[in-house]
């Protein structure tokens, strides 16, 4: 989702950011079954009795996962999850004096750090204090094995650059987080072939271990192709059919090399909701410009006025069409009834951006998810991981401290839910 235009933004428009208030709690709409505790009290969740590794994907409980992997774009990479424009932005007087003395100095030395914070990425990060799926899962690991979950990411680094001949190497700390900022659905096959497969060999991932794979993609596709036809009958570039094909191709390739795998496919976030969230907040407004938000990262979502209203509507329609096309692929996999593989669905619409505070967005670009969002998405996905589709569609609330659903002995990853949902429709 990051483009070269963002670098241009920081060079040309040094921004002054207003003071940021502490995040506030919203009334919870969550009525999920089970016992919930604040993340800081996770140790009070009852431990589970030992069980033999399951032989079938339909019998997998989250504590059976020994390996975590992730595919996706800048969201999964944790791009701009931390940092602020305040970190390096000079005051007005400093800028005025600076430009008077050196009118061609654009303040390059004061650009905020552009980094991917993979150690706090919601599906795979494991930094100390991070709220992520692996750090929640860690509570259910064997006592002698803190850190025995293979594949987690740590730390942060500059975005991995990709040229026409391929992408730069991942740092060692990335673990099995294959995400590349700016990726489209068609890019996923490269993440599998070029990184995940060789990295699994390097980490000596065992075939018999159960693997959790988080797949989140689509924001860049929707931003790039929001005005293309939504028909799945014609395989146009950027069409729902092509989008789902990219996911299917990548997952099927990974299946060949990683049996005992459950892929959690995250549906499309409603990126268009970001516009209303940022419309009147000075946190997101560049000074001296008559528009509320520079539409550099996703013009369909951020163009103001009637034109933007139209493009946001088209973007949401395309997102819905993408979701429906992916459902058909998941349905095909469910019909295979492969005991060593399953794909499950988590609707992206449960990430209730329209009702989140401005702190849900990056303090640098007011577009990417902040660390606070990563925390709440992680807890929300975990809480729904063993529940049915009705519960998965419940909005993830914005809580002062994310609450975590304690696993129960009878919990299992529910396989076949998409087919049931389509039959009901």
């Amino acid at each position: 989702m990051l483009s070269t235009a963002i670098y241009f933004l920081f060079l040309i428009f040094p921004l002054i950011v207003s003071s940021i208030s502490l995040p506030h709690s919203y009334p919870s709409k969550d009525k999920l079954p089970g016992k919930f505790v604040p993340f800081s009290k996770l140790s009070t969740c009852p431990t589970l009795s030992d069980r033999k590794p399951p032989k079938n994907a339909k019998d997998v409980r989250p504590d059976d996962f020994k390996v975590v992997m992730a595919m996706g774009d800048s969201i999964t990479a944790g791009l701009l999850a931390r940092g602020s424009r305040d970190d390096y932005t000079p005051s007005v007087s400093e800028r005025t004096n600076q430009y008077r003395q050196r009118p061609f100095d654009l303040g390059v030395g004061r650009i905020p750090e552009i980094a991917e914070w993979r150690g706090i990425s919601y599906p795979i990060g494991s930094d100390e204090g991070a709220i992520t799926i692996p750090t929640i899962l860690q509570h259910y690991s064997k006592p002698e094995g803190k850190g025995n979950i293979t594949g987690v990411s740590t730390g942060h680094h500059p975005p991995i650059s990709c040229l026409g001949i391929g992408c730069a190497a991942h740092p060692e700390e990335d673990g099995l987080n294959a995400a590349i900022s700016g990726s489209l659905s068609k890019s996923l096959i490269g993440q599998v072939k070029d990184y995940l497969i060789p990295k699994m060999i390097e980490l000596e991932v065992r075939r018999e271990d159960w693997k959790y794979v988080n797949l989140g993609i689509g924001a860049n596709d929707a931003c790039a192709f929001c005005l293309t036809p939504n028909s799945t009958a014609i395989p146009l570039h950027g069409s729902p059919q092509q989008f789902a094909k990219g996911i299917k191709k990548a997952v099927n390739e990974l299946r060949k090399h990683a049996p005992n795998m459950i892929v959690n496919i995250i549906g499309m976030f409603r990126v268009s909701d970001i516009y209303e969230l940022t419309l009147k907040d000075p946190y997101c407004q560049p000074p001296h410009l008559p528009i509320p938000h520079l539409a550099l990262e996703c013009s369909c979502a951020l163009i103001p006025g009637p034109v933007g209203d139209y493009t946001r509507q088209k973007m949401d329609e395309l997102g819905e069409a993408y979701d429906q096309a992916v459902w058909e692929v998941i349905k095909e996999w469910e019909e295979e009834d492969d005991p060593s593989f399953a794909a499950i669905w988590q609707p992206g619409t449960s990430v209730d951006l329209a009702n989140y505070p401005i702190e849900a967005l990056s303090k640098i670009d007011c577009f990417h998810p902040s660390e606070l969002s990563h925390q709440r998405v992680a807890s929300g996905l975990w809480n729904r991981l063993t529940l049915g589709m009705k519960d998965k569609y419940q909005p993830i609330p914005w809580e002062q401290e994310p609450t975590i659903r304690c696993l129960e002995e009878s919990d299992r990853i529910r396989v076949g839910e998409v087919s049931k949902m389509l039959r009901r429709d």
Side-chain angles (χ1 to χ4, degrees):
M1 295 164 73
L2 182 73
S3 69
T4 55
I6 282 297
Y7 295 96
F8 179 80
L9 168 61
F10 291 129
L11 290 172
I12 302 302
F13 301 107
L15 304 180
I16 304 173
V17 185
S18 62
S19 61
I20 306 303
S21 61
L22 292 174
H24 46 287
S25 296
Y26 282 82
S28 174
K29 300 176 183 178
D30 222 342
K31 297 179 181 178
L32 305 181
K35 176 184 176 181
F36 289 78
V37 300
F39 178 78
S40 60
K41 304 293 184 183
L42 182 58
S43 60
T44 64
C45 279
T47 56
L48 303 176
S49 59
D50 289 341
R51 64 193 299 258
K52 293 181 179 179
K55 300 295 185 182
N56 193 296
K58 295 177 181 178
D59 189 36
V60 172
R61 195 170 62 190
D63 59 311
D64 293 317
F65 291 125
K66 304 303 178 188
V67 181
V68 292
M69 292 186 265
M71 295 185 279
D73 52 27
S74 56
I75 296 175
T76 303
L79 183 66
L80 305 183
R82 281 185 183 168
S84 169
R85 287 175 273 183
D86 283 338
D87 293 344
Y88 300 98
T89 302
S91 67
V92 174
S93 61
E94 287 175 329
R95 289 207 312 275
T96 301
N97 292 333
Q98 175 186 349
Y99 294 157
R100 283 174 179 170
Q101 295 169 8
R102 295 182 293 169
F104 297 104
D105 185 346
L106 297 176
V108 173
R110 296 182 182 273
I111 298 173
E113 182 179 17
I114 308 301
E116 294 174 345
W117 295 83
R118 295 180 181 240
I120 59 176
S121 172
Y122 76 90
I124 197 167
S126 67
D127 279 359
E128 186 72 25
I131 302 177
T132 66
I133 289 177
T135 60
I136 298 169
L137 182 60
Q138 192 65 64
H139 171 68
Y140 296 98
S141 298
K142 296 292 185 285
E144 71 277 5
K146 185 176 182 181
N148 67 343
I149 301 172
T150 300
V152 296
S153 297
T154 59
H156 69 285
H157 55 73
I160 296 174
S161 59
C162 293
L163 304 174
I165 56 174
C167 296
H170 288 254
E172 187 71 22
E173 294 77 16
D174 281 8
L176 290 170
N177 185 350
I180 297 289
S181 293
S183 288
L184 304 173
S185 171
K186 67 179 182 180
S187 310
L188 294 174
I189 187 64
Q191 294 183 22
V192 171
K193 287 185 173 181
D194 300 338
Y195 185 69
L196 283 181
I197 293 173
K199 189 67 175 180
M200 283 192 295
I201 295 172
E202 176 188 330
L203 294 176
E204 298 180 345
V205 172
R206 302 191 306 173
R207 294 176 63 86
E208 62 268 26
D209 283 343
W210 281 95
K211 306 157 188 76
Y212 171 84
V213 183
N214 198 95
L215 195 161
I217 199 75
N220 296 307
D221 295 83
C223 288
F225 304 114
C226 59
L227 298 180
T228 59
N230 291 348
S231 172
T232 57
I234 305 173
L236 297 172
H237 188 51
S239 68
Q241 186 182 39
Q242 286 295 311
F243 176 78
K245 181 180 179 181
I247 291 175
K248 181 178 182 179
K249 184 177 181 180
V251 171
N252 280 341
E253 181 65 25
L254 187 59
R255 288 174 64 186
K256 298 175 184 177
H257 303 268
N260 288 0
M261 178 177 80
I262 292 183
V263 180
N264 191 13
I265 300 179
I266 314 302
M268 284 287 298
F269 295 166
R270 292 299 176 255
V271 180
S272 62
D273 286 340
I274 292 175
Y275 179 75
E276 292 295 331
L277 183 60
T278 66
L279 187 58
K280 297 180 181 179
D281 200 302
Y283 168 42
C284 300
Q285 295 176 356
H288 315 307
L289 290 175
I291 55 177
H293 197 308
L294 287 174
L296 297 178
E297 291 184 272
C298 185
S299 58
C300 277
L302 301 176
I303 293 174
V307 173
D309 292 340
Y310 173 76
T311 58
R312 280 183 285 279
Q313 177 186 344
K314 297 300 292 182
M315 189 175 182
D316 286 345
E317 291 173 357
L318 184 61
E320 292 174 3
Y322 280 172
D323 285 350
Q324 292 170 10
V326 174
W327 294 345
E328 294 299 327
V329 173
I330 296 176
K331 180 174 176 288
E332 291 179 21
W333 284 327
E334 290 176 348
E335 290 172 349
E336 289 182 23
D337 199 23
D338 183 344
S340 69
F341 167 77
I344 60 175
W345 170 257
Q346 173 60 48
T349 52
S350 65
V351 180
D352 194 16
L353 282 172
N355 291 304
Y356 287 171
I358 194 63
E359 292 86 357
L361 301 179
S362 164
K363 294 180 181 179
I364 293 180
D365 73 343
C366 214
F367 188 75
H368 282 84
S370 67
E371 179 177 9
L372 296 175
S373 284
H374 278 272
Q375 293 173 347
R376 283 146 186 84
V377 171
S379 61
L381 294 190
W382 171 270
N383 294 342
R384 291 154 177 77
L385 200 53
T386 63
L387 303 181
M389 200 61 72
K390 181 179 179 181
D391 289 322
K392 288 186 176 185
Y393 271 93
Q394 285 278 356
I396 297 173
W398 190 274
E399 302 169 305
Q400 187 70 31
E401 180 180 1
T403 56
I404 309 301
R405 182 179 179 275
C406 299
L407 280 183
E408 301 174 358
E409 293 283 351
S410 60
D411 280 339
R412 299 292 185 273
I413 304 291
R414 298 200 186 184
V415 177
E417 290 290 301
V418 170
S419 294
K420 294 178 184 176
M421 179 180 68
L422 293 178
R423 283 197 297 269
R424 285 196 297 268
D425 291 345

